[in-house]
């Protein structure tokens, strides 16, 4: 609709757009006529009002929307702050938005001919004269204000109930977590007590065995290490033997740590170690018994004979192969082979002498007992260290901070290991595919070198 055509409909402050079969309110064109404060849109085909209606036409004082097909009033209709007269006669309204009560200037309202809900129809009345229409405006606004207040109260009560329920759930969860922590702590203390009792039992048992066994003077039983010992440092620094002992200790500590990590499946906490301790002790006892059995003179002698026979057969085979491939070079190879055989005989003789000395002088039971006591001592110190570290709040806070990243790190390491393993398999496949050809090439070069050497010798 053109702006000029609307201007033709404007008489003073009244804009008459009735009976023009309008299906949509020309908001922009009406807004371009700021003098129009009384607008008549009755007897048209309006189904709804756009949200821009109240936003752009805030200067309206008198509005007639009667005899249309309006089903709903927009929620921002309250922005018509100057609206005093509103005619909604003969539309299809069933209800009004709660924000309708915020029309501060509304003095006249007609809602006849609408399928209103019974309560709103009763509040609005019939509006058959000026007085009833003014009463309808007052009563509808008061009713909607009361309804809005009631809904706000119910909303606040609902939010309060939800808040109380959430707080009750939080308290229940907190009590549940506290109970779980208490049970976990009690179970941990129980396991600690069981481990201590087991350690004491093993100490008593091992001490009884040590008192009943024969002690040898060649290897005295080592004294139990103390928790706190002052480091003895000579004036000239550590000797070579001291560095060797330190290296052996570090190797032993690394091997022990690796085994402990494998036995506990990566759980190096006191609980994990305590749970894996019985299996470690059983396997250690089994290994000690197998070692003692293997170190029996008859078993060692049988093993030595088997190894000697294998070495002799291998040496004979290698010697035959060497003779076959060297032919005329035997004059150079035979002295070297005789020297190797003499060295082997000397080594075997001295090995047997050392073995006999060890069998006659070393008390293996005392050594195994010392190893057991040392491992128990390290385990006790581990428990003490873990208990002390668990009391360190800063460390526990750091562990709690790192914990969420643990699974990510393990996943990344697993991915890295999968990549390394894949590359290793590729390398093995490559070697299996390429090595036969390489060996054939090496044999060909060896044959050529042999022919060259034979030619030089001749």
């Amino acid at each position: 609709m053109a702006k000029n055509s609307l201007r033709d409909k404007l008489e003073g402050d009244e804009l008459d757009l009735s009976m023009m079969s309008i299906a949509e309110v020309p908001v922009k064109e009406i807004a371009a006529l700021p003098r129009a404060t009384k607008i008549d849109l009755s007897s048209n085909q309006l189904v709804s009002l756009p949200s821009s209606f109240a936003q752009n036409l805030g200067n309206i004082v008198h509005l007639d929307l009667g005899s249309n097909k309006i089903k709903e009033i927009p929620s921002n209709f309250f922005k018509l702050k100057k609206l005093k007269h509103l005619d909604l006669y003969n539309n299809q309204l069933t209800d009004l938005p709660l924000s309708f009560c915020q029309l501060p200037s509304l003095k006249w309202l007609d809602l006849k001919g609408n399928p209103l809900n019974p309560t709103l129809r009763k509040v609005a009345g019939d509006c058959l004269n000026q007085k009833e229409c003014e009463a309808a405006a007052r009563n509808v606004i008061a009713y909607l204000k009361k309804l809005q207040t009631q809904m706000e109260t119910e909303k606040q009560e609902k939010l309060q109930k939800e808040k109380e329920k959430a707080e009750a759930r939080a308290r229940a969860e907190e009590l549940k977590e506290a109970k779980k922590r208490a049970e976990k702590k009690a179970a941990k203390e129980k396991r600690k007590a069981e481990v201590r009792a087991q350690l004491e039992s093993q100490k008593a048992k091992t001490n009884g065995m040590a008192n009943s066994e024969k002690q040898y003077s060649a290897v005295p039983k080592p004294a139990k290490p103390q928790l706190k010992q002052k480091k003895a440092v000579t004036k000239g620094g550590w000797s070579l033997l001291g560095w060797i002992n330190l290296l052996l200790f570090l190797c032993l500590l690394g091997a022990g740590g690796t085994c402990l990590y494998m036995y506990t499946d990566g759980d190096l906490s006191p609980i994990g170690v305590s749970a894996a301790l019985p299996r470690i002790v059983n396997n250690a006892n089994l290994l000690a018994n197998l070692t003692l059995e293997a170190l029996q003179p008859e078993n060692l002698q049988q093993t030595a004979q088997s190894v000697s026979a294998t070495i002799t057969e291998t040496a004979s085979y290698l010697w035959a192969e060497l003779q076959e491939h060297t032919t005329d070079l035997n004059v150079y190879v035979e002295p070297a082979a005789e020297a190797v055989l003499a060295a082997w005989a000397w080594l075997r003789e001295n090995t047997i002498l050392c073995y006999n000395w060890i069998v006659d002088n070393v008390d293996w039971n005392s050594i195994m007992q010392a190893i057991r006591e040392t491992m128990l001592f390290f385990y006790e110190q581990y428990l003490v260290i873990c208990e002390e570290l668990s009391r360190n709040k800063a460390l526990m806070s750091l562990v709690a901070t790192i914990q969420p990243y643990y699974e990510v790190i393990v996943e990344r390491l697993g991915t890295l290991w999968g990549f390394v393993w894949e590359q290793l398999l590729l390398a093995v496949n490559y070697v299996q595919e390429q090595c036969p050809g390489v060996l054939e090439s090496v044999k060909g070069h060896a044959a050529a070198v042999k022919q060259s050497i034979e030619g030089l010798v001749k």
Side-chain angles (χ1 to χ4, degrees):
M1 187 177 292
K3 176 180 176 182
N4 292 332
S5 62
L6 286 185
R7 193 178 296 277
D8 295 339
K9 302 288 183 179
L10 181 63
E11 294 182 3
D13 58 352
E14 296 182 6
L15 179 62
D16 187 2
L17 301 177
S18 61
M19 294 183 290
M20 296 180 63
S21 300
I22 297 174
E24 184 177 354
V25 179
V27 176
K28 292 184 179 180
E29 290 79 359
I30 297 175
L33 303 173
R35 289 171 48 199
T37 59
K38 296 179 181 181
I39 301 176
D40 187 358
L41 288 167
S42 62
S43 301
N44 282 294
Q45 302 297 320
L46 298 177
V47 177
S48 63
L49 298 177
S51 59
S52 59
F53 183 88
Q55 183 125 13
N56 297 325
L57 303 177
N59 61 335
I60 296 178
V61 176
H62 188 289
L63 179 61
D64 190 350
L65 295 170
S67 299
N68 279 283
K69 300 177 181 179
I70 299 174
K71 297 180 180 181
E72 185 180 7
I73 298 297
S75 58
N76 66 344
F77 199 75
F78 68 94
K79 292 185 177 181
L80 299 174
K81 301 297 183 179
K82 298 179 180 181
L83 183 62
K84 295 181 180 181
H85 183 106
L86 178 60
D87 190 347
L88 292 170
Y89 167 75
N90 196 22
N91 278 278
Q92 297 181 13
L93 295 171
T94 58
D95 211 338
L96 295 175
L98 292 178
S99 60
F100 193 87
C101 67
Q102 299 178 26
L103 291 171
S105 303
L106 188 63
K107 303 298 180 183
W108 195 96
L109 177 63
D110 187 1
L111 290 171
K112 292 192 308 295
N114 286 281
L116 300 173
N117 67 70
T119 305
L120 184 59
R121 183 186 299 116
K122 183 177 179 181
V123 171
D126 295 332
C127 190
L128 299 176
N129 51 51
Q130 179 73 18
K131 185 177 179 180
E132 289 183 356
C133 292
E134 291 177 354
R138 291 193 304 270
N139 295 338
V140 168
I141 288 179
Y143 166 73
L144 292 177
K145 280 185 178 180
K146 182 179 178 181
L147 188 61
Q148 186 180 40
T149 303
Q150 183 179 353
M151 292 185 65
E152 287 292 334
T153 303
E154 291 177 355
K155 183 178 179 182
Q156 292 297 327
E157 291 177 354
K158 184 178 179 180
L159 291 175
Q160 183 65 24
K161 289 181 180 180
E162 291 180 354
K163 182 179 179 182
E164 291 175 356
K165 288 181 180 180
E167 291 177 352
R169 285 196 298 268
R171 286 194 298 270
E173 289 293 334
E174 187 176 354
L175 291 175
K176 186 177 179 180
E177 289 295 329
K179 183 178 179 181
K180 189 182 295 185
R181 287 195 297 269
E183 291 177 353
K184 187 175 180 181
K185 184 177 180 181
K188 183 178 178 181
E189 294 297 332
K190 183 179 178 181
R191 283 193 293 269
K192 282 186 178 181
E194 291 176 354
V195 171
R196 290 194 183 96
Q198 187 176 2
L199 290 176
E200 294 296 333
S201 175
Q202 290 179 356
K203 282 183 183 180
K205 184 177 179 181
T206 52
N207 289 334
M209 292 174 59
N211 292 332
S212 61
E213 291 175 351
K214 181 180 177 180
Q215 305 294 321
Y216 289 86
S217 59
V219 181
K221 181 179 178 181
K224 183 178 179 180
Q226 299 297 322
L227 178 61
K228 295 182 179 180
Q229 293 182 350
K230 293 184 177 180
K231 187 176 179 181
V233 182
T234 59
K235 184 177 181 180
W238 284 17
S239 62
L240 178 61
L241 182 60
W243 285 108
I244 293 175
N245 288 334
L246 178 60
L247 179 61
L248 292 176
F249 173 74
L250 292 177
C251 293
L252 178 63
L253 190 61
T258 303
C259 294
L260 187 62
Y261 184 85
M262 293 173 62
Y263 271 102
T264 59
D265 295 329
D267 184 9
L268 296 179
S269 63
I271 297 175
V273 176
S274 300
L277 181 62
R279 191 154 54 102
I280 296 174
V281 172
N282 292 335
N283 290 344
N285 291 331
L286 180 62
L287 180 61
N289 294 332
L290 292 175
T291 304
L292 290 175
E293 183 178 355
L295 292 176
Q296 295 297 324
E298 58 273 13
N299 293 334
L300 283 176
Q301 187 174 4
Q302 184 178 358
T303 302
Q305 290 175 356
S306 176
V307 172
S308 177
T310 302
I311 294 176
T312 302
E313 291 178 1
T314 304
S316 299
Y317 172 76
L318 293 176
W319 177 248
E321 289 292 324
L322 188 62
Q323 284 182 333
E324 181 182 353
H325 290 86
T326 55
T327 59
D328 296 336
L329 297 179
N330 287 341
V331 64
Y332 303 106
V333 176
E334 286 181 356
E338 291 176 357
V340 171
L341 290 175
W344 168 246
W346 178 87
L347 179 62
R348 183 174 60 181
E349 182 180 356
N350 285 276
T351 301
I352 294 174
L353 289 175
C354 292
Y355 165 72
N356 292 331
W357 183 89
I358 291 173
V359 170
D360 294 337
N361 295 279
V362 175
D363 182 7
W364 291 105
N365 290 327
S366 298
I367 293 176
M368 295 306 298
Q369 179 65 25
I371 292 175
R372 289 194 189 99
E373 291 185 356
T374 303
M375 294 301 293
L376 288 175
F377 166 77
F378 279 121
Y379 177 67
E380 290 176 354
Q381 303 313 310
Y382 170 77
L383 289 180
V384 172
I385 292 172
C386 288
E387 187 172 357
E388 292 296 329
L389 290 178
S390 64
R391 297 174 182 174
N392 191 320
K393 295 183 179 180
L395 180 61
M396 291 298 102
S397 176
L398 178 61
V399 171
T401 304
I402 297 175
Q403 188 68 28
Y405 304 98
Y406 173 76
E407 296 181 357
V408 178
I409 295 174
V410 171
E411 183 180 357
R412 297 291 174 82
L413 291 177
T415 305
L416 179 61
W417 169 246
F419 173 76
V420 173
W421 181 253
E422 183 179 357
Q423 300 305 315
L424 183 61
L425 290 179
L426 291 176
V428 170
N429 293 333
Y430 177 80
V431 170
Q432 289 177 345
E433 293 175 359
Q434 300 296 328
C435 273
V438 174
L439 289 176
E440 291 297 331
S441 176
V442 170
K443 287 182 180 180
H445 287 295
V449 171
K450 178 182 176 183
Q451 293 178 359
S452 300
I453 294 175
E454 287 178 351
L456 291 174
V457 171
K458 291 179 180 181

